[in-house]
Amino acid sequence: MPTLDPERLISIGAKLRPLRDEGVLIIGSGFLTHGLPFLRDFRFDAPPPGWSAEFDHWAGVALDSGNIDALAEFRSAPGARYAHPTTEHFAPLFVTLGATDGTSPPVTTITGYWLGLAKRSVQVD
């Protein structure tokens, strides 16, 4: 990523948008929460820590409503300090959101947790 600034990443995604018309699939990959240093139970089926569940719920509401501005301000979201102690694992979402046509909100296709980390995945038009 050339930057971790959400607004600049959204702008980069917008510049990639025409590639979609050429059949290029744009993917932003990463877990919705990534606070590995704060995990206490390292089992695949571990229950999510409160911060992971809180951030996942907050992001799910923002994604479902298409509130990209709220997502860009994720540092003030519940649990953000632990869910994303650094930005690089959340940043790909902004490129992907910038590449959308903005006519419909993302659709959640996968939910749940792995090691207690939210694995929410969305698909955009």
Side-chain angles (χ1 to χ4, degrees):
M1 293 287 169
T3 180
L4 295 177
D5 176 64
E7 294 302 324
R8 290 184 59 204
L9 292 170
I10 290 167
S11 176
I12 290 168
K15 291 175 183 169
L16 296 174
R17 189 177 305 140
L19 293 174
R20 296 179 63 192
D21 296 332
E22 298 177 30
V24 175
L25 177 63
I26 299 170
I27 298 174
S29 178
F31 269 57
L32 191 67
T33 60
H34 201 270
L36 289 172
F38 307 107
L39 294 179
R40 301 288 178 248
D41 190 0
F42 288 93
R43 293 179 300 127
F44 295 134
D45 63 345
W51 52 263
S52 185
E54 290 170 3
F55 189 88
D56 178 56
H57 175 75
W58 169 85
V61 169
L63 286 162
D64 288 348
S65 65
N67 192 343
I68 295 174
D69 291 337
L71 291 165
E73 297 295 325
F74 73 95
R75 291 247 178 248
S76 61
R81 177 176 157 198
Y82 303 103
H84 287 285
T86 59
T87 307
E88 70 275 5
H89 293 279
F90 199 59
L93 175 65
F94 298 114
V95 176
T96 304
L97 292 174
T100 69
D101 62 13
T103 59
S104 58
V107 175
T108 297
T109 57
I110 297 172
T111 59
Y113 299 89
W114 185 77
L115 291 175
L117 301 173
K119 59 182 184 176
R120 180 180 300 274
S121 298
V122 296
Q123 181 176 337
V124 295
D125 291 331

